[in-house]
Amino acid sequence: LLLFSVAAMVAGGLALLGLHDNRDRVVGTIDPARLQVQRLDTALVDQETGVRGYALSGQKDFLAPYYQGMAEERNAIRALQAVIGQLPPSAAADLKSVTAQARAWRAHYAQPTISQVSQTGKPAVSSPDILTGKTDFDSLRAKISTLQGDITGARAQAVAALNDSATVLDGVFIAVAIGLA
């Protein structure tokens, strides 16, 4: 009986440790990373909306979402980089791809469009760069979707591991109950 009790305590302790670690991975790492990717996506969409509004209207107040989105983008990337080592390796590569594509979109479309409208004082509604900017931004959205997929996949695996840990713990409790009966 003593040997059974010690084994049950060790198994229960290991099961609780596994449950704690898997729960911490989901709640403390993956879900916050998922939130930051959504925040990054929103920040980039805000930038695109701000540039488009400015290009169509020529009114500087339309640029507010663009500049605010840039600040939000930096904050989201900083938060993601803090946990990127705890995410699948593909997430790090995909985050680099997203940031590179965002820089390219700003360099090839957003900044030139803002400069053109600022210099001419006229909306840029018929520029061929508008289609290029849209194509570049669509590519950026695809890269963000890939990053979101990385984190969603990691979350699914972590939740499965969490459920497995809970099942093991339930089994230990049932074994203890049967053994003590």
Side-chain angles (χ1 to χ4, degrees):
L1 185 60
L2 179 63
L3 186 60
F4 175 77
S5 295
V6 169
M9 285 185 355
V10 168
L14 290 173
L16 278 172
L17 183 61
L19 186 69
H20 176 269
D21 290 348
N22 290 320
R23 182 195 153 287
D24 189 50
R25 178 157 167 72
V26 171
V27 174
T29 302
I30 295 174
D31 282 349
R34 202 165 140 203
L35 178 64
Q36 292 306 320
V37 171
Q38 290 172 345
R39 186 175 165 203
L40 176 60
D41 184 36
T42 300
L44 292 167
V45 168
D46 285 350
Q47 290 176 53
E48 195 254 351
T49 301
V51 171
R52 188 174 353 110
Y54 182 60
L56 293 174
S57 71
Q59 296 177 13
K60 285 201 182 265
D61 42 330
F62 277 95
L63 286 176
Y66 174 76
Y67 293 117
Q68 184 176 3
M70 287 177 60
E72 284 294 315
E73 175 189 358
R74 284 189 299 275
N75 292 336
I77 289 171
R78 197 173 307 120
L80 281 166
Q81 287 171 335
V83 297
I84 203 74
Q86 299 169 42
L87 299 173
S90 59
D94 289 336
L95 179 59
K96 285 181 184 178
S97 180
V98 166
T99 56
Q101 181 68 34
R103 275 193 308 272
W105 173 78
R106 278 191 296 275
H108 298 129
Y109 173 70
Q111 305 277 329
T113 300
I114 292 169
S115 293
Q116 176 189 351
V117 173
S118 292
Q119 290 171 359
T120 64
K122 297 177 185 176
V125 292
S126 61
S127 170
D129 292 334
I130 290 175
L131 292 177
T132 303
K134 182 184 179 331
T135 302
D136 287 350
F137 199 81
D138 288 345
S139 177
L140 178 56
R141 283 185 182 193
K143 290 176 189 282
I144 289 172
S145 292
T146 301
L147 179 59
Q148 286 172 328
D150 293 339
I151 294 173
T152 298
R155 186 179 193 284
Q157 289 176 343
V159 167
L162 179 62
N163 289 336
D164 290 347
S165 296
T167 301
V168 168
L169 187 59
D170 289 346
V172 168
F173 284 142
I174 290 170
V176 167
I178 291 172
L180 295 177

